[in-house]
């Protein structure tokens, strides 16, 4: 290349390279070659092998998937795990009742025997990560169907993974699973070997007034004052292997656990986070940005607002309902507020233009390289987004209102066995089927189900759905509302509850005592649920052709961007709930003109926010007591204040909750639990001046365990760096 050409290329490269310091969720095996230099320049004192070592235990072995959507970290040789309070929330709530209200009072096991098992809860270790791009591409070559979607199919990819390791390996290693995940839209593949533990016990949790302090008002906001942590323990069989719950199981002796540092830090200090970010879309085109704003986010915001109003009203009226719906409400609110923040960023920071510029850069580059496929891919993406508009709106409306919004859409529909038994008049079989159905019924009609609340929500959401979705595009059963109820939605819903075998426990038991095939065939709730399911399947089928075309074009578009940036800054693949590392600095920020937020909050701030008349900002008496006495033990800052939370420029998203935040030496300084309002758009575009991870300071966690809960027996198993 001559000099002039080189300069042009370099300038182009510089102008087009979108990745800036602190942006990115990096894959551990590539870290050494991609980012280690920058990390060291920011202060990292470790080597690539300390973070990730395919041969030996490394920091990554202390980082786990907690449950189905959070991260946790191992902090003791006895398998103790820290995660967020909001990640342990379901477990804490499940063990709670009006009599034992662990949500309100917190929970602390004082002996191992008191640790509470949790059905269905798992902790997953990532044993091994391998680049299998060549293997997958080879296998795909033999795939003759040109339109095959196998390149993204979990079924195809995971079968390939199993074939690679062999049946015997899986048999010899209980609890072990392998999976292959696509990256960059199917341009690269990694295989993950996982070890899944399923006896996970609740050890401790602060009261919600600490673990959820600030609740929904403060959620997605900085400055923050939440003690968002909870503590669990992994149990294994006598050989250290994963096993279902058994009183004979013993605490796991893990390969690696983290040290905890209470030495403190300063602004601009290096920080890194390992964890399992769920989903980002930074390769969106401008059309997808608009689609996300105008359909996905807009529907979510509108429908959840209606649903939450009903829920909150009922929760504030009745303590039992408050506990029953606490987790459902929090989950709904969280996504709702995220969607608002996402739209705010899309508009305020003009993400459409940002992405359009990126597209145009690729178009120009592609033309120069005589590579017309990128232009084709972009035209396809534009066309698909425009063509799928109505279907997508219908799908989002159906999901947010009928599928997710109304609980009785999930009543058990598997009544075929019972119908057959009834037709054959086979009494033994009838009894057996009734027993099975009763079990499914109680799974649906569980201790957290309040039919009166569901009924109210259904009335509100059905009305809205009928208003916003054209009648011919609705589940067929909704026609009954006009045909049999003169359009009266309330009467229709009341009828479902009055007449369905699932409308109440009484209804079910009446049916169980005298089951008939006719009652099943005519059951209105089952008919409603089936009809919603049919419409959902219909929509999924109709959208599938768009999805396939979209995926192919997206892969080409991303491939173009990767090639365009080759030799420049490394690119990071969108999050897909695989193990990643993000790094940056502890740093405050300016959210708007003439306003500045510091990097650390303290207990003073908790007291400033205290409002005993607002459930979100109640401060427990004992915490106030400790504050007054300034009884902070060794956990105070040099200035003598009690640190609560910090923020850093690290790039995180949903799934990173509970992730360990580590200092330059790889010691735990906090648990990630949220992101700031100005940074919610970071799932689409990271803005270094505005985006911050929100982290609970490990010193606050330890202070609460030690001084507030007086659970100092737990401290004995931790390695604390003083
Ligand atoms: N926003 C955080 C995350 O996305 C915390 C959610 C839990 N807290 C809540 N108030 N809903 O998950
Ligand atoms: N609270 C989120 C979670 O549960 C993390 C915040 C974010 O999205 O950045 O994973």
């Amino acid at each position: 290349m001559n000099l002039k050409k080189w300069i042009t290329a370099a300038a182009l490269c510089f102008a087009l390279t979108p990745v800036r310091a602190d942006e990115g969720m990096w894959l551990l095996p590539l870290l050494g070659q991609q980012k280690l230099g920058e990390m060291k320049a920011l202060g990292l004192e470790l080597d690539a092998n300390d973070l990730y070592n395919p041969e030996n235990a490394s920091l990554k072995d202390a980082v786990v998937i907690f449950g189905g959507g959070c991260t946790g970290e191992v902090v003791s040789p006895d398998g103790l795990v820290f995660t967020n309070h909001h990640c342990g929330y379901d477990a804490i709530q499940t063990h709670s009742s009006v009599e034992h209200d662990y949500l309100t009072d917190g929970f602390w096991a004082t002996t191992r025997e008191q640790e509470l098992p949790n059905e269905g809860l798992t902790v997953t270790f990532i044993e091994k990560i391998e680049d299998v791009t060549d293997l997958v591409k080879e296998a795909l070559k033999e795939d003759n169907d040109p339109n095959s979607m196998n390149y993204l199919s979990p079924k195809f990819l995971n079968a390939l993974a199993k074939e690679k390791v062999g049946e015997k390996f899986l048999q010899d290693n209980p609890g072990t699973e392998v999976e292959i995940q696509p990256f960059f839209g199917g341009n690269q593949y990694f295989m993950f070997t996982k070890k899944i533990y399923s006896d996970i016990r609740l050890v401790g949790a602060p009261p919600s007034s600490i673990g959820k302090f600030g609740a929904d008002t403060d959620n997605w906001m900085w400055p923050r004052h939440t003690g968002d942590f909870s503590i669990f323990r992994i149990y294994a069989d006598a050989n250290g292997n994963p096993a279902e719950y058994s009183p004979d199981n013993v605490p796991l002796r893990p390969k690696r656990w983290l040290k905890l540092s209470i030495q403190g830090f300063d602004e601009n200090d290096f920080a890194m986070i390992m964890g399992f970010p769920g989903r980002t879309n930074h390769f969106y085109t401008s059309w997808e940005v608009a689609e996300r704003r105008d359909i996905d986010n807009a529907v979510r915001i509108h429908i959840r607002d209606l649903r939450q109003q009903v829920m909150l009203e009922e929760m504030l009226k009745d303590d039992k309902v408050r506990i029953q719906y606490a987790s459902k409400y929090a989950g709904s609110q969280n996504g709702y507020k995220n969607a608002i923040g996402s739209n705010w960023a899309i508009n305020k920071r003009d993400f459409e233009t940002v992405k359009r510029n990126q597209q145009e850069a690729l178009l120009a580059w592609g033309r120069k390289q005589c590579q017309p496929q990128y232009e084709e891919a972009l035209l396809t993406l534009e066309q698909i987004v425009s063509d799928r508009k109505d279907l997508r709106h219908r799908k989002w409306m159906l999901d947010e209102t009928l599928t997710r919004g109304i609980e009785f859409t999930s009543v058990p529909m598997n009544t075929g066995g019972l119908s057959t038994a009834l037709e054959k008049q086979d009494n033994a079989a009838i009894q057996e089927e009734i027993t099975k159905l009763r079990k499914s019924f109680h799974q649906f009609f569980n201790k957290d189900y309040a039919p009166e609340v569901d009924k109210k929500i259904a009335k509100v959401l059905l009305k809205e759905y009928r208003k916003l979705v054209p009648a011919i595009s609705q589940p067929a059963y909704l026609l009954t509302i006009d045909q049999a109820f003169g359009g009266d939605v309330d009467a229709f819903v009341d009828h479902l509850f009055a007449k369905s075998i699932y409308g109440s426990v009484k209804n079910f038991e009446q049916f169980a005592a005298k089951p008939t095939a006719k009652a099943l065939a005519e059951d209105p709730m089952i008919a409603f649920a089936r009809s919603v399911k049919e419409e959902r399947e219909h929509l999924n089928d109709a959208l599938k052709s768009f999805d396939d075309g979209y995926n192919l074009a997206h892969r080409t578009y991303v491939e173009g961007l990767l090639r365009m940036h080759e030799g420049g800054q490394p690119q990071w693949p969108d999050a897909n709930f695989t193990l990643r590392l993000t790094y940056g600095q502890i740093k405050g920020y300016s959210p708007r003109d003439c306003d500045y937020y510091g990097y650390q909050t303290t207990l003073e701030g908790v007291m400033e926010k205290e409002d005993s008349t607002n459930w979100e900002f109640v401060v427990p008496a004992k915490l106030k007591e400790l504050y007054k006495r300034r009884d902070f033990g060794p956990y105070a800052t040099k200035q003598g204040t009690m640190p609560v939370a910090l923020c850093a420029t690290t790039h995180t998203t949903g799934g990173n909750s509970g992730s360990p935040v580590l200092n330059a030496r790889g010691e735990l300084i906090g648990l990630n639990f949220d992101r700031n309002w100005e940074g919610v758009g970071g799932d689409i575009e990271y803005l270094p001046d505005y985006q911050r991870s929100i982290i609970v300071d490990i010193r606050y966690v330890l202070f609460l365990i030690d001084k507030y809960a007086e659970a100092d027996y737990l401290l004995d198993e931790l390695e604390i760096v003083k």
Side-chain angles (χ1 to χ4, degrees):
M1 203 187 296
N2 67 34
L3 187 63
K4 200 168 141 221
K5 253 197 186 156
W6 187 86
I7 291 173
T8 327
L12 200 69
C13 215
F14 192 67
L16 296 182
T17 298
V19 175
R20 277 155 303 213
D22 306 344
E23 173 178 351
M25 303 171 178
W26 305 98
L27 274 155
L28 294 174
L30 305 180
L31 204 61
Q33 90 207 41
Q34 289 184 323
K35 286 282 153 187
L36 201 73
E38 276 180 39
M39 292 169 74
K40 289 206 168 190
L42 281 176
L44 176 69
E45 293 172 27
L46 302 174
D47 281 317
N49 264 346
D50 302 321
L51 303 172
Y52 170 77
N53 186 339
E55 312 303 332
N56 276 308
S58 57
L59 276 178
K60 83 113 176 48
D61 292 302
V63 186
V64 296
I65 299 177
F66 184 85
C70 277
T71 304
E73 51 278 342
V74 182
V75 290
S76 91
D78 284 336
L80 205 63
V81 169
F82 282 178
T83 187
N84 290 147
H85 183 263
H86 79 262
C87 294
Y89 203 69
D90 261 333
I92 304 165
Q93 188 237 13
T94 304
H95 290 295
S96 293
S97 60
V98 175
E99 297 76 42
H100 294 282
D101 187 352
Y102 301 141
L103 286 178
T104 302
D105 307 328
F107 169 80
W108 300 94
T110 52
T111 61
R112 298 256 160 107
E113 286 67 42
Q114 285 176 9
E115 298 178 355
L116 300 172
N118 301 284
E119 212 188 309
L121 183 62
T122 56
V123 158
T124 303
F125 289 84
I126 306 302
E127 301 268 299
K128 214 169 167 185
I129 311 173
E130 293 159 86
D131 189 335
V132 290
T133 309
D134 292 340
L135 177 84
V136 174
K137 293 211 163 148
E138 248 345 277
L140 285 170
K141 269 193 206 150
E142 277 152 43
D143 185 10
N144 295 324
D145 178 3
N147 294 319
S148 164
M149 290 295 123
N150 278 340
Y151 74 100
L152 290 182
S153 151
K155 200 170 144 221
F156 174 85
L157 295 171
N158 293 341
L160 194 60
K162 273 198 189 131
E163 197 184 301
K164 182 172 151 66
V165 298
E167 252 337 299
K168 181 158 184 324
F169 171 81
L170 294 174
Q171 272 161 14
D172 292 349
N173 292 281
T176 299
E177 284 180 12
V178 285
E179 69 178 30
I180 293 179
Q181 288 277 357
F183 291 78
F184 293 113
N187 283 293
Q188 197 175 13
Y189 296 88
F190 280 86
M191 183 167 105
F192 298 84
T193 307
K194 303 173 158 184
K195 201 161 190 178
I196 305 171
Y197 287 85
S198 40
D199 184 354
I200 310 303
R201 304 189 197 167
L202 175 63
V203 175
S208 295
S209 51
I210 290 174
K212 201 179 150 75
F213 182 76
D216 302 313
T217 300
D218 270 10
N219 192 23
W220 299 114
M221 298 285 185
W222 182 258
R224 192 62 157 279
H225 298 86
T226 314
D228 200 343
F229 76 98
S230 59
I231 308 176
F232 290 79
R233 192 186 305 281
I234 308 167
Y235 280 77
D237 70 14
N239 302 319
N241 284 320
E244 285 307 312
Y245 167 78
S246 154
D248 300 332
N249 285 348
V250 293
L252 174 74
R253 312 287 302 177
K255 270 195 238 168
R256 187 68 195 253
W257 57 92
L258 299 176
K259 290 181 185 165
L260 288 60
S261 167
I262 59 169
Q263 289 178 327
F265 39 76
D266 290 312
E267 186 151 28
N268 296 321
D269 275 1
F270 175 85
M272 61 184 170
I273 298 182
M274 277 194 208
F276 294 85
R279 206 157 78 97
T280 55
N281 299 95
H282 81 296
F283 291 117
Y284 263 171
T285 58
S286 57
W287 309 293
E288 293 160 270
V289 170
E291 177 183 61
R292 169 82 166 259
R293 175 189 59 206
D294 300 336
I295 300 179
D296 313 7
N297 287 345
V299 170
R300 171 162 285 180
I301 294 165
H302 177 61
I303 299 300
R304 289 198 179 190
D305 185 27
L306 296 173
R307 177 166 182 254
Q308 287 159 199
Q309 280 176 34
V310 180
M311 258 198 259
L312 189 60
E313 199 183 306
E314 299 302 308
M315 287 166 72
L316 291 176
K317 260 197 315 226
D318 182 342
D319 249 10
K320 186 166 164 228
V321 175
R322 175 182 60 76
I323 294 173
Q324 287 177 316
Y325 280 74
S327 192
K328 295 174 203 170
Y329 183 82
S332 177
Q333 242 292 332
N334 193 44
Y336 161 80
K337 205 165 170 186
N338 179 292
I340 297 174
S342 167
N343 276 2
W344 177 83
I346 289 172
N347 288 328
K348 204 74 181 168
R349 313 288 182 216
D350 199 3
F351 286 175
E352 277 182 279
T353 302
V354 173
K355 299 301 180 191
R356 196 173 306 117
N357 290 343
Q358 173 161 301
Q359 280 149 232
E360 265 152 29
L362 179 65
L363 280 180
W365 183 82
R367 282 191 199 114
K368 220 183 263 163
Q369 309 284 320
C370 301
Q371 303 274 352
Q373 69 271 34
Y374 305 127
E375 185 156 1
E376 273 162 34
L378 280 167
L379 284 171
T380 306
L381 290 172
E382 182 179 18
Q383 192 63 46
I384 286 176
V385 169
S386 151
D387 289 349
R388 72 182 175 188
K389 197 165 151 207
D390 282 345
L391 281 172
R392 194 173 178 100
H393 181 256
R394 273 166 66 188
K395 177 85 166 65
W396 271 87
M397 280 298 296
L398 190 84
D399 277 354
E400 287 287 326
T401 56
L402 307 189
T403 308
R404 257 195 288 245
I406 299 176
E407 289 172 87
F408 64 73
T409 305
S410 314
V411 290
M413 285 180 264
N414 51 341
T415 52
L418 181 55
S419 298
T420 315
L422 286 166
E423 267 155 38
K424 288 193 194 145
Q425 301 188 332
D426 176 345
N427 271 332
I430 293 175
Q431 281 324 309
E432 200 178 299
E433 291 294 333
I434 287 282
T435 306
K436 273 201 261 172
L437 195 61
R438 183 179 283 114
K439 197 170 160 221
S440 324
F441 169 64
H442 283 288
Q443 264 162 14
F444 160 73
F445 212 106
N446 57 39
K447 83 175 194 37
D448 294 328
Y449 181 65
E452 286 312 311
V453 178
D454 198 20
K455 204 190 247 186
K456 281 205 171 126
I457 290 173
K459 288 177 180 174
V460 172
L461 294 193
L462 267 172
K463 283 175 204 154
E464 203 61 16
Y465 179 79
R466 278 165 43 96
K467 206 159 80 192
L468 297 178
V469 176
I472 71 156
S473 308
Q474 297 178 12
Y477 192 70
L478 296 197
L479 288 175
T480 345
I481 299 176
D482 283 327
Q483 288 163 354
F485 296 90
D488 186 343
V489 168
D490 292 358
F492 169 74
V493 174
D494 288 338
H495 169 80
L496 294 192
F497 277 88
K499 295 291 180 230
S500 171
I501 63 166
Y502 299 134
S504 64
V505 175
K506 192 168 142 232
N507 284 9
F508 186 84
E509 287 310 330
Q510 265 171 6
F511 166 78
K514 251 172 93 183
T516 64
K518 186 164 177 283
L520 281 183
E522 291 174 1
D523 190 279
M525 239 182 221
I526 299 179
F528 173 86
R530 287 210 175 115
S531 188
V532 173
K533 184 166 170 251
E534 244 164 57
E535 172 66 7
R536 188 166 57 242
E537 283 165 1
H538 168 71
L539 281 173
N540 283 342
D541 284 346
L543 278 162
K544 177 130 183 21
S545 60
F546 292 112
D547 291 346
D548 293 352
Y550 168 86
N551 287 332
L552 285 165
H554 176 77
R555 179 176 65 175
T556 305
Y557 176 55
V558 174
E559 188 239 349
L561 291 173
L562 293 179
R563 287 184 53 193
M564 181 171 84
H565 293 306
E566 223 160 49
Q569 284 270 15
Q571 301 292 308
W572 58 280
D574 265 323
N576 57 358
F577 206 55
T578 56
L579 183 57
R580 306 290 180 95
L581 181 144
T582 164
Y583 65 90
Q585 287 168 297
I586 296 166
K587 214 192 246 312
Y589 70 104
S590 171
R592 62 191 78 82
D593 188 27
C594 203
D595 214 348
Y596 191 81
Y597 289 150
Y599 68 96
Q600 182 156 59
T601 62
T602 65
L603 207 48
E604 322 283 327
V606 174
M607 299 315 302
E608 281 168 9
K609 280 182 179 171
E610 186 199 10
D611 178 358
S612 59
T613 66
N614 177 352
W615 67 275
E616 295 189 298
F617 294 98
V618 172
V619 179
K622 185 160 180 195
L623 187 57
K624 282 196 269 190
E625 217 18 69
L626 291 165
Y627 169 74
K628 267 193 217 134
R629 291 206 313 265
R630 306 197 79 71
D631 185 0
F632 302 149
Y635 311 110
T637 62
K638 285 169 224 142
Q639 294 74 33
T641 56
M642 185 64 233
V644 171
L646 66 140
C647 68
T649 62
T650 38
H651 192 178
T652 44
T653 189
N656 268 127
S657 272
S659 297
V661 183
L662 308 167
N663 64 15
R665 291 174 297 286
E667 298 154 352
L668 189 68
I669 57 168
L671 317 183
N672 183 72
F673 71 95
D674 207 2
R675 204 169 356 141
N676 63 332
W677 185 248
E678 298 79 11
V680 166
D683 293 347
I684 300 175
E685 185 70 26
Y686 177 88
L687 298 171
D689 292 343
Y690 292 104
Q691 180 157 346
R692 295 295 178 266
S693 301
I694 299 179
I695 299 154
V696 55
D697 197 305
I698 203 66
R699 290 170 290 179
Y700 189 48
V701 172
L702 292 172
F703 157 77
L704 290 167
I705 296 174
D706 186 347
K707 297 286 179 174
Y708 181 85
E710 297 176 46
D712 37 337
Y713 54 92
L714 284 177
L715 300 177
D716 295 341
E717 58 183 293
L718 304 175
E719 258 186 77
I720 298 176
V721 184
K722 298 199 168 114

